[in-house]
């Protein structure tokens, strides 16, 4: 079912129709776009942290690379249009070029970081990826071309819900195809026992670098999409906290479960809005945004503690939702109608 180009051809009209239906609901469109970006980040990080069994905590760094590269290119082409195409179509073509360039540059950064560092494992790899994320943040914060601490503004807001939905579909499709391929089986083998996999002839470093590059590419795409539907991007959007949010999504859903990462990303995206609604109902005074920001990370921490105590493998473990739901649904006894 996932083979060939048929899934892509089916997904295109669906996401376009969905965008048209929500055209009159800007807040819902914005919230769903943020959710889509988080799903792309969670599913792509799951390729490294879940399927390959590594531990990367610098995903926001790759997101920042994609956001700033795509944003700078879009600003440079802001007044340019393809004369043989309608303006809306021309804008989408330039957006696609900017996204691909941001993704490719992020993938190159992933290769440069991954090639030497993925010979490490565990805590050492986490420290390297954390350092990379902080380096990227400091570089953009002190570079005039990237707007320094003030960030970039005026980027064309051309990333609609249809484009976000298409890339969500694409990253899920790639993750599922990868998981069921011979490359995916090599990644699972590395996750289970790296020494045994290497003894069986698996190029462990090579496969880990490939997983890292694919993950970084889609993180760059997520950053590029983010840059094209928010009014301004600045280094504060790509801090260590953002990386940890994505890690929480992957751990909550289950390391290795694509659908688990999707559901956790959706839940944790909607959680701040639920908290805002709860504060409004309770008649809380002061800034709602400030209250939500203050309580959001402690809530994440409590959720992780509860998860590690009650279900350390995450919601779905390494399984997908269609493999887990039949065990959770009530069954009728044999011989009863």
């Amino acid at each position: 079912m996932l083979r060939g180009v048929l899934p892509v051809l089916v997904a295109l009209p669906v996401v376009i129709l969905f965008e048209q239906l929500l055209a009159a609901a800007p807040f819902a469109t914005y919230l769903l776009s943020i959710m889509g970006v988080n799903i792309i980040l969670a599913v792509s990080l799951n390729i490294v942290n879940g399927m390959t069994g590594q531990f990367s905590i610098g995903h926001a760094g790759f997101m920042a690379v994609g956001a700033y590269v795509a944003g700078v290119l879009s600003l440079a082409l802001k007044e340019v249009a393809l004369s043989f195409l309608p303006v809306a179509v021309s804008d989408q073509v330039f957006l696609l070029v900017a996204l691909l360039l941001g993704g490719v540059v992020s993938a190159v950064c992933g290769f440069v970081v991954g090639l030497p560092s993925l010979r490490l494992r565990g805590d050492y790899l986490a420290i390297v990826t954390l350092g990379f994320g902080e380096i990227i943040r400091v570089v953009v914060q002190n570079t005039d071309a990237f707007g320094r601490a003030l960030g970039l503004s005026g980027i064309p807001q051309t990333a609609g819900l249809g484009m976000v939905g298409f890339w969500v579909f694409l990253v899920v499709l790639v993750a599922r195809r990868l998981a069921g391929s011979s490359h995916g089986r090599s990644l699972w083998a590395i996750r289970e026992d790296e020494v045994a996999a290497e003894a069986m002839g698996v190029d462990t470093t090579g496969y880990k670098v490939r997983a890292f590059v694919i993950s970084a590419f889609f993180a760059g795409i997520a950053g590029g999409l983010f840059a094209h539907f928010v009014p301004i991007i600045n280094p504060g959007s790509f801090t260590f906290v953002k990386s940890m949010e994505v890690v929480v999504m992957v751990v909550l859903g289950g390391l290795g479960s694509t659908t688990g990462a999707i559901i956790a990303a959706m839940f944790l995206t909607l959680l701040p809005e639920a908290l805002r609604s709860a504060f409004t109902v309770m008649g809380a005074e002061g800034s709602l945004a400030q209250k939500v920001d203050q309580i959001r990370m402690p809530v994440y921490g409590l959720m992780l503690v509860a998860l590690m105590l009650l279900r350390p493998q995450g919601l779905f473990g390494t399984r997908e939702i269609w493999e887990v739901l039949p065990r959770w649904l009530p069954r009728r006894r044999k011989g009863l109608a």
Side-chain angles (χ1 to χ4, degrees):
M1 185 178 69
L2 296 177
R3 300 295 177 185
V5 297
L6 181 60
V8 179
L9 296 178
V10 172
L12 279 173
V14 171
V15 295
I16 292 173
L17 177 62
F18 196 57
E19 181 179 13
Q20 295 300 319
L21 292 175
L22 290 174
F27 178 72
T29 299
Y30 176 78
L31 187 60
L32 288 173
S33 297
I34 292 290
M35 184 186 298
V37 166
N38 286 337
I39 290 174
I40 297 172
L41 290 170
V43 173
S44 60
L45 182 62
N46 191 49
I47 295 174
V48 173
N49 285 21
M51 294 184 191
T52 320
Q54 306 305 300
F55 191 53
S56 170
I57 54 174
H59 218 46
F62 298 112
M63 182 186 179
V65 171
Y68 277 96
V69 170
V72 168
L73 180 61
S74 291
L75 284 173
L77 300 176
K78 191 173 184 179
E79 304 300 328
V80 180
L82 298 174
S83 58
F84 56 89
L85 291 175
V87 175
V89 178
S90 176
D91 289 343
Q92 293 303 302
V93 171
F94 284 129
L95 171 63
L96 188 59
V97 171
L99 292 177
L100 290 175
L101 181 62
V104 168
V105 174
S106 294
V108 171
C109 291
F111 178 79
V112 171
V113 173
L115 189 60
S117 63
L118 284 176
R119 298 180 184 275
L120 306 172
R121 60 185 74 171
D123 298 341
Y124 300 102
L125 176 61
I127 292 171
V128 170
T129 55
L130 171 62
F132 169 76
E134 290 302 302
I135 288 171
I136 292 298
R137 186 181 63 81
V138 172
V139 167
V140 298
Q141 193 169 347
N142 293 278
T143 303
D144 291 330
F146 296 140
R148 300 177 70 90
L150 295 177
L152 289 179
S153 59
I155 299 172
Q157 305 293 284
T158 51
L161 190 58
M163 181 64 78
V164 176
F166 173 73
W167 282 103
V168 168
F169 168 80
L170 202 59
V171 70
V172 173
L173 184 66
V174 169
R176 291 303 306 150
R177 285 182 172 177
L178 180 63
S181 68
S182 59
H183 298 287
R185 287 191 289 272
S186 297
L187 297 181
W188 289 113
I190 294 171
R191 169 197 164 111
E192 295 304 321
D193 194 324
E194 187 171 339
V195 175
E198 193 165 3
M200 294 300 294
V202 176
D203 180 12
T204 55
T205 301
Y207 276 109
K208 287 192 290 184
V209 170
R210 289 178 202 131
F212 212 70
V213 168
I214 295 171
S215 177
F217 171 80
F218 281 107
I221 294 292
L225 289 169
F226 180 76
H228 286 84
F229 67 77
V230 295
I232 184 172
I233 58 171
N234 57 62
S237 302
F238 312 104
T239 61
F240 171 70
V241 173
K242 182 62 180 178
S243 293
M244 289 310 302
E245 284 182 9
V246 183
V247 171
V248 170
M249 293 172 189
V250 175
V251 174
L252 179 63
L255 289 168
S257 173
T258 301
T259 49
I262 294 171
I263 292 173
M266 294 171 63
F267 172 74
L268 292 179
T269 303
L270 294 175
L271 180 61
E273 299 306 318
L275 292 174
R276 288 187 181 93
S277 300
F279 282 130
T280 302
V281 170
M282 291 186 295
E285 299 179 356
S287 171
L288 283 178
Q290 184 178 5
K291 285 184 171 61
V292 170
D293 285 339
Q294 289 173 348
I295 200 173
R296 181 169 51 113
M297 295 313 293
V299 168
Y300 287 0
L302 289 174
M303 287 171 53
L304 279 180
V305 171
L307 187 70
M308 292 301 102
L309 292 175
L310 301 175
R311 191 171 176 82
Q313 69 270 37
L315 291 178
F316 301 121
T318 58
R319 301 180 177 221
E320 303 299 338
I321 189 170
W322 54 83
E323 299 171 334
V324 174
L325 278 182
R327 297 191 298 111
W328 290 357
L329 294 175
R331 300 178 183 177
R332 290 181 297 182
R333 293 183 179 179
K334 293 182 180 180
L336 296 179

